[in-house]
Structure formats: structure tokens, C-alpha cells
Amino acid sequence: MYPVTRAALCGALSLLPFAPPCIAAQGDGDAVILSEISVSGDGSGPRPATIPFGVAAPPGSAPSVIEHPVGQIVSSVGRDSTVTDRPATNIGSVLLNSPGVTVRQGNGARDVIISIRGNNARSTGITKNTVVLEDGFILTQPDGASRFDLVDPRAYGRIDVFRGPQSALFGNYATGGALAFRTRTGREIAGYEIGTDAGSFGYLSNYFTVGGVSGPVEISLFASDARANGYQDHSSYDTQTVNLLASYTPTPDHRFTLKVINNQVQADLPARSSLNQFRINPYQRGCAAAATAAPGCTLTNLFVNGAFGPTVGLTGDQAAFGRNDRRTIAALRWEHDIDAQTTWRTQLGFDERNFNQPFYTTSSRGSYPSWNFLTDLTQRYDLFGMPAVGYVALAYNTIDNHITTYNRAPYGGPTLGALIGNQVAVQSNLGGRARTEVALSEQWTGVVGISAENTRITGRNDAYAYSAAGRTTTVADANRSFLNVAPELALVYRPSIEWTLRGRVATGYTTPAASNLFVTAAGLPGNNTALQTQENLGFDLGADWTPVENLRLSVTGFYEFFRNELVSQSPGAGLQSYTFNAPASEHRGIEVGADWAFAPGWRAVAAYTFDDQIYTRYVEQLSAGAFSSRFDRAGKAIPGVPANQLLARIGYDQLTGPLAGLGGYVETVFQDGFYLDNANQLKAPGYAIVNANLHYATDLPGGYAKRLTLYAEVRNVFDTTYAVSAQNLANSLSATTGLQNGGGVLAGTTGSIYAGAPRNVVGGLKLSF
């Protein structure tokens, strides 16, 4: 229930064999609003060119968007009120416009952790349980990791949020859903744009976009440089992104698409605080050195000799915590129309994640090159006289991991200590997918799909421990194979043009990554190779209601049953998070999206999610000293997941007269508090912040420039102090009494909290030529 271009609407309709012809207009301004799309029709009319499922047709051919397969639970977020008229500093602020999405601050710069239906809300490092695509190319690496450093929101025309298990369509790792980014095409840009944003805490971002069409060639290129001092001590960053989308259409039935992305990020990282420290010194100010540290500063203990023995507590500034990462993606797709009803596509992509991360007690360095291959066939046909669309695909991807882990040593910048881990692993996924959509009648559409995939992980981790006696080595070998099958059924009913009713039963699966297999419950390199595949069986039931053109309401209820859910948490300050299987859990909730243009120029938008997640079968064993106890966590809330969250916005744009183009809006972002531990003894506090925006856009007739856009935004108007990210914490026993430690101990455990930004102002301008 969100804005997209008319070209996107035409593309969505063209998925259907019974859709009428549609002509796409050009430009950002020609926008319409789509609700969550579940489509049926009357079965009449000519059949347009085939568009593959869940992937992008190239810009030079049919509508160049990532389209909605019928029956999916999808919300589309466009540029209006998210990018076009505001400073979009990271993709998290954009995706909050979709129901079901939770956002956490990651580790520096634009790094955010995206969770759909709470399925990745426990992570603070990388995004898991979600498949990410851009223009039809997979951006999730074969180990299931996605990062959003490389994503600058201003490059995109639309983002589709697929909610609920999606493995039948996208394969491994889609237990929570999928995100499909659609870059603005050369045809949409039709010229070039330059822009600058600047604001509080030294924020400065410069960017440009250029795009156009010449004969059979269409190109769009986006580049940006963003940097800031940061609102916490030791949190400055600078990051550069280049994003290219190009297509070549030598003949009407042959199309080639090239995608290239490169991102470089350098970021200083503050230490994550305890809840107690957050309450005293949320922004970690006055923490340049331990000897002069202000109250509430977080200190991280590093071995004095970098290997073993005595430790010294240092601030993040003293220890020079940071990241220096690069991500490079290059991919090519060939698409061929075999006939008017059949399209064959083949694509190959290379993706390398190179990282150097000397933060907290360890430093990780590595390179993760990967390859991703997909070939698929889409055909429109008649099934017993009923219009149908069939899809089959074969997918293979592989990643070669090599990562070394060192202790950190104190002083002298990001100094490395002793080597404590050396990991080499190869992970590959090979599978097939099939899907059919059938127009059962004028009102009913049915969908059936299935995927089957084999995942293979082979690798070795050498873990090193040090003492006065010397070094000891522990070797963990992994040779695991996982076979997973994911069916899907969906039914869509449209009794009238105002109503769409939909039901869906679908499954998802996420295998452990190689890196999960080699981090122990102590947060150190070692053997964790017994992890199992996470499986999800989900039920969705929902309705979309459009009683009048300017009011759209969508409601979806979901109930999901997880087996062997992969849960990550921190065992203590500065240690690596480890992963375990919770044997059984349940996720249930409601998602609501609303869009109401209630008067000329006025518009109200809301995205609400209720998400209740509990363990139904999980016994946790804790040990300390001579004591060991087991605790039944059944009925406990799964940590990291807020039960309620809401984005609500009301705005006004002057449509006519001398002030035409002037507008503004006020929005609130609300999130419940959530538990940080399996025993539900400690909660991260909830929050509600308010943002206010003023913007102006005008055409510039007769000049070299075509359009001017100005905007300014006050974020966190009431200067609320809130936690924007919180790492789950492990429960523990008292080594003295053998009893489980209470919430007071957890509240004093560092390595958990990042504070959100205090009141800040960001403004910018954009010129279109």
C-alpha cells in the first residue's frame, strides 16, 4: 500500500495472462499507489510478453521491474515520502514504511540489520533469513549473509518486501521473506541529477545519477560519497558506492543486462554498552581514554600481551575499533523469448565480500568470493482450458570462505595479538524450483509451487589457545550436507473490484552458514558443527480493501511454526556471537498497512506490526564452576523481537497556486521494548520518536536545469534517548550459589546496546538536468 511508478503498475499487470494492455508513463512524478498485490482477472484480452517470476526484465524490454508473483504477501515501497523529498541516509528509514519490517543499527555507517516478521531481529552483525535481490540478481551470498553498506536508497525506484516464508520461490535462507530492490532505469532518469545532503554531526553526502536510452542501449549510473563524524564518540565513517545498470537489446527477442555494484566503507566503531551504561552515558561521550573516562564509558578488556594472562580495559577510541570493508558485485543476464509465450533466462554473477574488522576483543580478516548461477523458463499456457503461467528454474551458487581471527592487543591503533582461529570452508547450494499460477475463474486464482535444494558445507577451523606453557591447537572439521524441500499453496479471491481476499500456506528453510559451525558457546573459534537446518511452516490469511480510490487498507494475519530455529546471542563483552538451535517455536502476528488521501493535498500513511514469538520446546543448559543446571524456556518470549511497532505519517503538499510544490509531514516511529535473554529477565526499553519534514520542488522552465528539489528534516524532534540496537545476552549461573543470575547481572553486561541518534537536522538539494 505504498507508492510506485506507473511503469511498476503496468509490470505487475503484465504478469497475468488475462491482463489488458498497459502503457507505462515516464518520470518520478507519475506515481500511483499499490496495495499488497494478490491478483486475479477475467481471463480475457491478449496475453502480453512473458515476465519471469520474482525477477527483473531488462530495462530495454517489457516493464523493467521486479514483479509480484500472484498470491504472495508483498508490500511495495516507492520514492515518495521516503527518498524523493527527504534525506534518506540509510535503507532502514525507507523500509520501515512496510508492515512486518524491523530495523536495527548495525556496525557503522549505513550498516543496518533488516528483519522481516522478526526473523532476523536477534542479529546485530549481518542480515540473515532473508533473500535480497537487485534488478533480479541475487545479493545474498551463498552462506546466507546480506549487508546493506552497499545500498544507497537514492539509487532505487522501488523496493518490494516479500513477507513470510519464501523458499519455494527464492530457495535457501528465505524463511523470513525477501527484499527485491529495483534500480531506477535510464529511461526513468532521462538525463542526470546531482545532489548534496548535509546536517548534524558532520554528515555530508554528495551523489549523482545519470541515465538514458540510445537505440538498443539503456544505462543508469549512480554514485555517492557519504561521511560523518557520528553522534557517538569514535563513530565517524566514510563510504563510497557505485551502482550501474545497463541493458542491450540487439533484437526484440534477445536482451542482455549488466549489473555492477562496488562499495567501500571505513568506519570507527564505539563499544556496545550495557543497559546500565546506556542509562548513564548513552552516546559514550568523554570516552577518549580509560584513565579519564566519564561515568558510563564502556571498557573492553584486551590481553596485555595479546595472547593470555592479565588484561587491560580500553575504550573504543583507545583500541581503535573499526571496519574497513569492500563489496564488489558484477553480474550478467541473457534473456531470450523462444516464442510469444515462452522466455528463457540465464544469469551469472560474481560477488566478493572483503573485510578487515578489528573491533572488540578479536579482529577478523577475510575474503568471501562467491558465484551465483540461475537459469529459468517461464511459459504461458492453457491448463484444461484455464489460463496459466508456469515457471521452472535451476540454481547453483558457491562461496569460498577464508577468515583469520586474532586477539586484539592494546595500544598502538588496531594492533593485532595472537592468531586464535584460521577457517577455510566452501559452501554450495544446488536446487530446482517449479511454480504454476492458474486462473481458476474470473474471481479465483490458484498457485502451487515447490523447491528442492541440497546444501553442502566442507571446511576446517584451527582454533589456537595460549598459556605460559605455549600454544595448543584444536581442529574442527565440517562435512555437512542438507537436503531441503519447500512446497507452497496460495489462493486468491476477488469478489469485487474493492476486495481481494487471500490465503497462503508456505514453507521456508535456512541452513547454517560455515561461520556458524565454528563459533562455540564461549564466543570463541571452535566446534559447533552439530547445527541443523531451520525450518518454517507459515500460514497467511489477509484482505485488501479499496472502497474508494483514495483509501487503501491491507490486513494480514500470520502464524508460523519453526523447527530448529537458529538463534544467535552474545556470551559476554566483546566476544563473538554464537548460534544454537531452538527445537520448536511459534511466531504469530498481524500486519496492517493503510494509505488515505483524505482531502486535497493531504495524505496519511501507517504501517503496523504485532509480532508475538515464543519458544514452545527448548531446554537450555547453563554451567558455572562445579554447577550445571537445565532450564525449560517453553512459553518464554524469543529475545530481540518487539511485540508492537508502528510508523505513522501525516503530510500535506500544496498542489496549485504560487506555493505549488511546497509540502511537509510529521511522522512517528514507535517500537515496543523487547527481552534481551532467553529467561526474559531483562528488557531493552521501547521508544517513540517524532520526525518533521519540510520540502519544496519546482520545475525550472527555460533553463539548463529542469527541476529543483529542496528539503530539510528534524529527526527525533523531542530529543528522546533510545536504544536503536541491542545484542541478545546469554543467561548465566552464579559460580558461588549455582543459581541463575538475575536481570541485575544482565543489565551490567557490556557488549549489547547502541543508542539511537539524538535530535539532529539534515537538509539537502537536488538538481535534475
Side-chain angles (χ1 to χ4, degrees):
M1 176 163 310
Y2 305 96
V4 297
T5 62
R6 189 171 302 278
L9 177 60
C10 294
L13 292 175
S14 69
L15 269 172
L16 302 175
F18 31 78
C22 183
I23 299 175
Q26 296 181 14
D28 258 352
D30 189 23
V32 296
I33 304 297
L34 286 181
S35 63
E36 297 164 9
I37 299 179
S38 301
V39 197
S40 61
D42 60 9
S44 62
R47 296 182 179 180
T50 299
I51 301 295
F53 287 106
V55 294
S61 61
S64 54
V65 293
I66 298 172
E67 304 303 343
H68 300 295
V70 173
Q72 304 299 104
I73 311 302
V74 183
S75 48
S76 296
V77 183
R79 293 173 64 83
D80 186 31
S81 299
T82 61
V83 176
T84 300
D85 51 11
R86 73 187 304 178
T89 53
N90 64 58
I91 202 65
S93 62
V94 177
L95 288 172
L96 280 175
N97 288 265
S98 168
V101 173
T102 303
V103 177
R104 297 273 186 267
Q105 176 61 48
N107 291 317
R110 285 195 302 253
D111 189 32
V112 292
I113 310 304
I114 304 299
S115 170
I116 302 176
R117 293 185 175 174
N119 282 291
N120 192 56
R122 294 163 287 281
S123 175
T124 57
I126 56 176
T127 294
K128 291 273 195 174
N129 301 324
T130 301
V131 170
V132 180
L133 306 93
E134 184 166 319
D135 299 318
F137 297 102
I138 302 292
L139 299 191
T140 297
Q141 289 202 296
D143 63 350
S146 301
R147 294 205 81 134
F148 293 99
D149 297 297
L150 78 165
V151 173
D152 191 314
R154 291 162 299 197
Y156 303 103
R158 193 181 89 189
I159 307 168
D160 293 338
V161 183
F162 292 73
R163 310 198 306 271
Q166 300 287 341
S167 289
L169 187 58
F170 298 112
N172 199 0
Y173 308 117
T175 48
L179 296 171
F181 290 81
R182 180 224 175 208
T183 308
R184 296 172 67 200
T185 65
R187 194 178 307 272
E188 291 172 326
I189 299 164
Y192 66 95
E193 301 170 351
I194 58 173
T196 296
D197 293 347
S200 303
F201 312 113
Y203 178 73
L204 178 64
S205 176
N206 297 299
Y207 60 95
F208 78 86
T209 305
V210 59
V213 182
S214 178
V217 177
E218 181 171 2
I219 294 177
S220 68
L221 175 66
F222 173 86
S224 67
D225 176 284
R227 57 192 63 217
N229 297 328
Y231 58 87
Q232 298 192 69
D233 275 6
H234 195 69
S235 62
S236 64
Y237 66 85
D238 66 88
T239 180
Q240 295 76 41
T241 300
V242 177
N243 193 321
L244 170 70
L245 176 67
S247 69
Y248 173 57
T249 309
T251 66
D253 57 354
H254 288 273
R255 296 173 293 275
F256 297 88
T257 302
L258 174 67
K259 185 73 187 181
V260 178
I261 308 173
N262 189 77
N263 172 257
Q264 181 77 36
V265 58
Q266 293 179 303
D268 294 333
L269 298 181
R272 288 182 177 269
S273 65
S274 68
L275 186 58
N276 289 341
Q277 290 167 329
F278 164 77
R279 290 167 174 157
I280 297 170
N281 189 354
Y283 307 115
Q284 293 293 289
R285 292 174 180 165
C287 300
T292 59
C297 286
T298 300
L299 303 183
T300 302
N301 292 320
L302 305 183
F303 289 119
V304 173
N305 64 5
F308 66 94
T311 62
V312 59
L314 301 181
T315 67
D317 200 348
Q318 278 182 297
F321 295 156
R323 293 176 54 207
N324 187 348
D325 295 1
R326 177 182 54 80
R327 182 86 178 270
T328 302
I329 297 170
L332 181 67
R333 174 169 59 238
W334 169 60
E335 185 172 356
H336 172 54
D337 295 331
I338 297 174
D339 55 40
Q341 311 300 329
T342 309
T343 297
W344 176 30
R345 302 179 328 127
T346 298
Q347 63 186 43
L348 179 66
F350 173 76
D351 181 350
E352 186 193 23
R353 177 161 46 108
N354 190 286
F355 54 92
N356 179 9
Q357 300 178 347
F359 60 89
Y360 309 144
T361 60
T362 62
S363 175
S364 297
R365 296 183 172 189
S367 176
Y368 284 9
S370 65
W371 292 90
N372 199 306
F373 172 80
L374 173 72
T375 185
D376 60 26
L377 193 71
T378 305
Q379 184 177 50
R380 301 182 181 278
Y381 65 101
D382 288 329
L383 181 64
F384 304 114
M386 297 177 291
V389 183
Y391 172 73
V392 292
L394 177 68
Y396 174 76
N397 50 69
T398 185
I399 185 169
D400 188 354
N401 297 355
H402 184 202
I403 178 172
T404 53
T405 304
Y406 297 84
N407 279 328
R408 285 297 316 279
Y411 311 118
T415 307
L416 298 183
L419 177 69
I420 60 171
N422 183 40
Q423 179 190 132
V424 178
V426 175
Q427 181 165 350
S428 59
N429 304 281
L430 173 64
R433 304 161 200 165
R435 178 184 175 92
T436 295
E437 301 172 359
V438 183
L440 302 171
S441 69
E442 293 184 359
Q443 290 81 31
W444 292 91
T445 303
V447 179
V448 60
I450 192 169
S451 73
E453 188 168 10
N454 186 76
T455 298
R456 181 74 180 272
I457 302 174
T458 58
R460 166 171 289 200
N461 187 84
D462 297 316
Y464 306 103
Y466 299 86
S467 67
R471 187 177 81 174
T472 59
T473 302
T474 302
V475 177
D477 288 312
N479 188 355
R480 301 290 307 278
S481 181
F482 307 88
L483 178 62
N484 295 291
V485 177
E488 175 186 6
L489 293 171
L491 196 61
V492 179
Y493 175 53
R494 296 201 66 176
S496 66
I497 194 171
E498 293 86 8
W499 283 96
T500 299
L501 307 177
R502 43 188 162 73
R504 179 173 177 263
V505 181
T507 49
Y509 54 86
T510 291
T511 59
S515 57
N516 301 142
L517 302 180
F518 298 123
V519 178
T520 69
L524 297 171
N527 191 330
N528 194 25
T529 57
L531 289 175
Q532 301 297 315
T533 296
Q534 170 181 284
E535 298 173 321
N536 176 14
L537 172 63
F539 297 85
D540 293 311
L541 190 64
D544 303 322
W545 182 48
T546 310
V548 291
E549 184 179 358
N550 59 357
L551 174 60
R552 291 168 173 82
L553 178 67
S554 179
V555 179
T556 301
F558 64 89
Y559 208 122
E560 300 178 355
F561 298 87
F562 277 76
R563 186 172 68 176
N564 291 323
E565 182 169 5
L566 293 166
V567 180
S568 296
Q569 63 187 26
S570 169
L575 297 170
Q576 299 179 63
S577 293
Y578 71 95
T579 302
F580 63 91
N581 286 117
S585 53
E586 295 178 5
H587 304 182
R588 53 270 179 110
I590 299 173
E591 300 161 329
V592 180
D595 196 322
W596 185 22
F598 55 89
W602 288 93
R603 181 183 175 201
V605 174
Y608 169 76
T609 305
F610 169 72
D611 193 356
D612 180 31
Q613 300 191 9
I614 61 169
Y615 295 119
T616 56
R617 183 163 52 90
Y618 172 43
V619 176
E620 183 176 24
Q621 180 166 322
L622 303 177
S623 300
F627 300 101
S628 184
S629 298
R630 295 167 63 85
F631 297 89
D632 187 356
R633 305 303 191 194
K636 298 291 186 180
I638 297 177
V641 182
N644 296 278
Q645 56 184 39
L646 169 71
L647 178 140
R649 180 188 306 116
I650 185 169
Y652 175 77
D653 284 279
Q654 180 65 34
L655 303 177
T656 60
L659 295 179
L662 180 65
Y665 46 83
V666 177
E667 70 179 13
T668 184
V669 178
F670 163 80
Q671 187 178 107
D672 253 348
F674 53 88
Y675 288 108
L676 291 174
D677 65 302
N678 289 328
N680 293 178
Q681 294 181 326
L682 185 68
K683 264 191 173 183
Y687 63 87
I689 61 171
V690 175
N691 305 319
N693 172 281
L694 185 67
H695 55 267
Y696 176 70
T698 183
D699 293 330
L700 302 174
Y704 183 57
K706 296 185 295 185
R707 188 170 179 83
L708 170 67
T709 303
L710 302 169
Y711 44 80
E713 189 162 305
V714 182
R715 298 174 173 173
N716 194 0
V717 172
F718 300 108
D719 203 20
T720 301
T721 301
Y722 66 102
V724 73
S725 178
Q727 171 71 55
N728 292 351
L729 299 172
N731 293 108
S732 61
L733 294 184
S734 166
T736 304
T737 65
L739 300 177
Q740 183 173 243
N741 288 317
V745 172
L746 291 170
T749 303
T750 61
S752 180
I753 308 280
Y754 274 157
R759 182 191 299 118
N760 63 99
V761 180
V762 185
L765 65 85
K766 180 179 69 176
L767 278 171
S768 302
F769 298 87

